[in-house]
Amino acid sequence: MSEVTITVRGEHETRIAPERATIQVSVRVDGPDRAAVVDRVMRLTEPVRDSITSRADAGAVVDWTSKRLSVRAERPWNTEGKRLAPLYYASIDLTATFTEASDLSEWVSEVSPWDGVELGWVDWHLTPATRAETERTVAAEAVSVAVTRAEAYAGALGLVEVTPREIADVGLISSGQPSPTPPMMMKASRGAAFAADATPAMEYEPEDIVISATVEARFLAR
């Protein structure tokens, strides 16, 4: 046996604790008078915005956003099938990115009892620099696994020289088309949504983010 082509797959996975938590919060008001509803939602939003900016000044919040006021009207039906006067709904959505779970928990406990406040999703994630570095490391480890497997196969055949010919994301070597399953995956636990009357005392213990990579490689063994 002079030479043989060996095609293998390499995988690697790592877990890393989240570095950031982005929470979405809404302030919502409804009522029969549009002007009064708009005025009330603006007044209720102000202390929420102030609480975020004060934490941003202290370094606990690294980024935050406040969307424009949204107002809609609906005309409900009564039990007799008649349309009633319009009911107006106004809301303002905000997001804030915290650096520590403890700071997030403290802030949620503070604002959750406030009138009109509805707490939404929590997204646990990494900083862009950490994510990019981790993905590079995981991808390199996946390649290393593929090389080790190819060398093991070659050794079993009594061959000693292994030369790489191709390396690609899953599916690209065999078909030339992207695989339906992403070769690099990252997932983290997301917090549940909370109602406005949720229990004020809340603690957050996020699960580790899982980053994995899978590659396919082809070698020539002699």
Side-chain angles (χ1 to χ4, degrees):
M1 183 181 297
S2 59
E3 62 181 32
V4 64
T5 299
I6 300 174
T7 303
V8 295
R9 179 174 293 181
E11 310 95 356
H12 187 71
E13 177 182 289
T14 190
R15 295 175 179 270
I16 185 169
E19 298 173 300
R20 298 286 187 267
T22 300
I23 186 171
Q24 184 266 339
V25 61
S26 300
V27 181
R28 303 184 187 278
V29 174
D30 62 75
D33 184 89
R34 187 183 190 280
V37 166
V38 170
D39 178 70
R40 180 167 170 76
V41 78
M42 296 293 288
R43 286 189 290 106
L44 292 179
T45 301
E46 194 62 30
V48 178
R49 187 181 291 112
D50 289 344
S51 70
I52 294 175
T53 56
S54 65
R55 282 167 170 77
D57 293 339
V61 169
V62 294
D63 187 31
W64 70 278
T65 64
S66 178
K67 294 186 177 179
R68 293 181 179 178
L69 168 69
S70 173
V71 182
R72 63 184 177 86
E74 292 184 3
R75 294 191 62 186
W77 300 83
N78 66 10
T79 55
E80 298 176 353
K82 295 182 180 180
R83 297 293 292 271
L84 302 178
L87 188 63
Y88 295 93
Y89 299 85
S91 65
I92 297 178
D93 295 332
L94 306 97
T95 63
T97 300
F98 287 78
T99 59
E100 298 289 343
S102 59
D103 291 329
L104 170 63
S105 180
E106 178 184 340
W107 182 77
V108 167
S109 297
E110 176 186 337
V111 303
S112 58
W114 294 357
D115 289 344
V117 171
E118 296 183 7
L119 299 173
W121 46 260
V122 177
D123 178 28
W124 302 95
H125 53 97
L126 303 172
T127 63
T130 299
R131 184 179 65 248
E133 179 61 28
T134 304
E135 288 179 350
R136 283 194 295 268
T137 301
V138 170
E141 290 295 333
V143 172
S144 179
V145 170
V147 171
T148 300
R149 285 180 177 172
E151 291 174 343
Y153 292 161
L157 297 173
L159 305 174
V160 295
E161 182 182 349
V162 177
T163 305
R165 291 302 187 192
E166 293 181 77
I167 185 166
D169 291 338
V170 175
L172 293 181
I173 284 183
S174 58
S175 64
Q177 298 296 326
S179 169
T181 303
M184 180 75 70
M185 297 181 291
M186 181 174 67
K187 60 182 179 180
S189 174
R190 288 180 179 264
F194 302 100
D197 59 351
T199 304
M202 298 178 184
E203 295 183 0
Y204 296 89
E205 296 183 0
E207 295 180 4
D208 287 347
I209 292 174
V210 179
I211 301 179
S212 61
T214 302
V215 299
E216 290 178 347
R218 183 165 291 150
F219 299 86
L220 184 63
R222 297 185 178 87

